Amino acid sequence: MVMRADMIKNIGLGTLLLTFLATSDADAQRRRRATTDTPPPTEQAPVTNPATGNTVTTPASSGNAPASTGAPIGEPAPAVSDTPRKSLRVDGVVEKRLNAERTPIAYDYIREDDRFWEKKIWQVIDVREKMNLPFQYNVEDESGVNQLFINILVEAIKNNEVEAFNPIDDRFSTKMTYQEIQTKMGGEERTVRSIDPVTGAETMVTTRDEFNPLTVKQFKVKEVWVFDKEASALKVRILGIAPLMSRLNEDGSFRASVPLFWVYYPDLRPVLAKYDVYNQNNDASTMSWEDLFEMRFFASYVVKENNTYNREIRHYIKDGVMQLLEGQSVKDKIFNKEQDLWQY
């Protein structure tokens, strides 16, 4: 009996040993098969760029590399669509439906005989001033339209809601198309030769510089101050708005501000009445852009008044501080003109 138990024990140990050896041999075979099936990385020969004559090393591609969410190496990034993305849900407590229905209040009629005194001036709104920060509100509303003020103007011209005029003068004498504005903002389209650094293929590509709306730092405003004899009140009417685009020198320094186009403000009022102005203190208490201009909720300085030689202040005063003081003097003369008409 003792002998039979020892034999059974030896047989069991032998079976376990054979099972372990078979499993180890199968794992080794699988590892060898995986190593054999995977091809070794091949080194690609460097490619010579025919344009420069320099050697270009192409990036190695791996079949096991995970898919990237962006553009592959060596390929251009996908183009970003400029189509407005409308919100699919109500972005707030209630849906804002009254914006599209708002219309500006009509101006009071002023007879020619009641135009007792009048003065035209040109002012500049600098968006970098603290009071003018709403002009830099660069976000999209529920309809997907960007709220940056320059984008509102360009979008209105694109949709034929308002006409643009060439800045060769400020009398709104020459109309300007949307294509001409695009050319002026981003430069003319040009065809250049492009050579692929990898394949060496030569193609002709049409390109144009992209317009950066953040380069518009100032807006020129033309307005007229008139004393209405019938109402015995001094009134102001904005006539036109022109965005000023900054031009830089080759070293990156500021050179000049160039007007892109003029927009006749009375035609623009219905468009501005549909867009809200950002209020950093209360999102529920907003005003339209038309209200902002009519209630004078912006900071500006005078750069020109109607004069004999039709020149701006900077043409006869070179010091910047003295230019601001001269512009303030023009505002004071208009204020004093109204006050001097009364007796107490």
Side-chain angles (χ1 to χ4, degrees):
M1 296 294 294
V2 175
M3 219 177 137
R4 186 173 300 171
D6 293 339
M7 290 177 63
I8 294 173
K9 182 178 181 180
N10 292 335
I11 292 173
L13 292 175
T15 303
L16 291 175
L17 181 60
L18 288 175
T19 304
F20 176 74
L21 291 175
T23 304
S24 301
D25 184 61
D27 293 340
Q29 289 181 3
R30 281 195 298 269
R31 286 195 296 269
R32 286 195 299 270
R33 188 179 300 111
T35 305
T36 305
D37 295 342
T38 303
T42 58
E43 296 183 359
Q44 300 181 2
V47 179
T48 302
N49 189 347
T52 61
N54 299 330
T55 302
V56 180
T57 304
T58 58
S61 59
S62 175
N64 299 330
S68 174
T69 56
I73 299 177
E75 296 184 8
V80 180
S81 175
D82 59 351
T83 303
R85 299 171 300 175
K86 185 176 181 180
S87 177
L88 302 179
R89 298 292 185 272
V90 177
D91 190 17
V93 179
V94 296
E95 185 178 0
K96 299 179 181 179
R97 298 180 179 178
L98 299 179
N99 294 5
E101 303 174 1
R102 287 185 302 200
T103 55
I105 300 176
Y107 284 141
D108 293 336
Y109 176 71
I110 300 178
R111 297 190 311 133
E112 177 68 22
D113 294 340
D114 293 333
R115 191 167 56 97
F116 176 72
W117 178 84
E118 183 180 282
K119 171 67 72 172
K120 288 182 182 178
I121 64 174
W122 287 256
Q123 300 198 70
V124 169
I125 300 174
D126 197 316
V127 302
R128 291 164 292 189
E129 295 190 30
K130 187 175 182 180
M131 190 172 180
N132 299 329
L133 289 180
F135 286 85
Q136 300 189 52
Y137 188 54
N138 190 14
V139 298
E140 295 179 356
D141 61 0
E142 296 179 3
S143 60
V145 180
N146 192 279
Q147 298 297 293
L148 200 63
F149 185 70
I150 177 61
N151 289 338
I152 294 177
L153 296 181
V154 175
E155 191 70 17
I157 297 172
K158 179 181 178 181
N159 297 334
N160 296 322
E161 296 177 307
V162 67
E163 291 182 337
F165 295 89
N166 199 301
I168 56 175
D169 56 38
D170 49 23
R171 295 182 293 104
F172 318 104
S173 59
T174 307
K175 294 182 180 180
M176 198 173 182
T177 63
Y178 177 70
Q179 288 72 20
E180 293 175 342
I181 294 176
Q182 273 191 316
T183 301
K184 194 167 186 178
M185 292 190 303
E188 297 182 357
E189 290 187 354
R190 53 186 183 275
T191 304
V192 297
R193 184 180 65 173
S194 175
I195 299 178
D196 194 320
V198 178
T199 62
E202 179 179 338
T203 57
M204 304 302 292
V205 179
T206 302
T207 181
R208 172 188 284 167
D209 295 336
E210 184 178 357
F211 170 66
N212 183 10
L214 298 180
T215 58
V216 178
K217 302 294 185 182
Q218 295 176 331
F219 294 89
K220 180 177 284 189
V221 177
K222 178 183 179 181
E223 57 190 21
V224 55
W225 291 78
V226 57
F227 188 85
D228 186 0
K229 185 169 60 175
E230 181 183 10
S232 297
L234 183 66
K235 301 178 180 178
V236 57
R237 299 285 172 85
I238 299 177
L239 299 180
I241 300 177
L244 303 179
M245 186 175 182
S246 300
R247 296 295 187 186
L248 305 178
N249 297 318
E250 295 181 357
D251 57 354
S253 59
F254 175 78
R255 181 175 58 185
S257 293
V258 181
L260 294 177
F261 52 84
W262 277 98
V263 178
Y264 189 57
Y265 177 75
D267 295 341
L268 187 65
R269 290 182 65 206
V271 177
L272 296 182
K274 300 177 183 179
Y275 292 93
D276 286 334
V277 180
Y278 170 68
N279 185 354
Q280 62 180 351
N281 298 318
N282 186 1
D283 290 341
S285 177
T286 58
M287 67 173 68
S288 67
W289 279 103
E290 194 266 340
D291 294 333
L292 180 139
F293 283 104
E294 293 300 323
M295 293 188 287
R296 315 291 294 181
F297 284 165
F298 58 86
S300 60
Y301 56 92
V302 178
V303 295
K304 178 185 176 182
E305 68 171 331
N306 207 12
N307 58 85
T308 306
Y309 301 102
N310 193 28
R311 57 181 180 176
E312 295 186 1
I313 296 177
R314 60 184 175 89
H315 292 154
Y316 57 90
I317 298 179
K318 301 302 180 183
D319 185 71
V321 176
M322 298 304 297
Q323 292 176 12
L324 294 177
L325 293 177
E326 180 67 15
Q328 185 60 40
S329 176
V330 174
K331 289 185 177 181
D332 293 340
K333 286 191 296 184
I334 295 176
F335 176 80
N336 293 332
K337 183 68 177 179
E338 180 187 21
Q339 302 300 315
D340 293 342
L341 294 176
W342 300 95
Q343 294 182 357
Y344 299 97

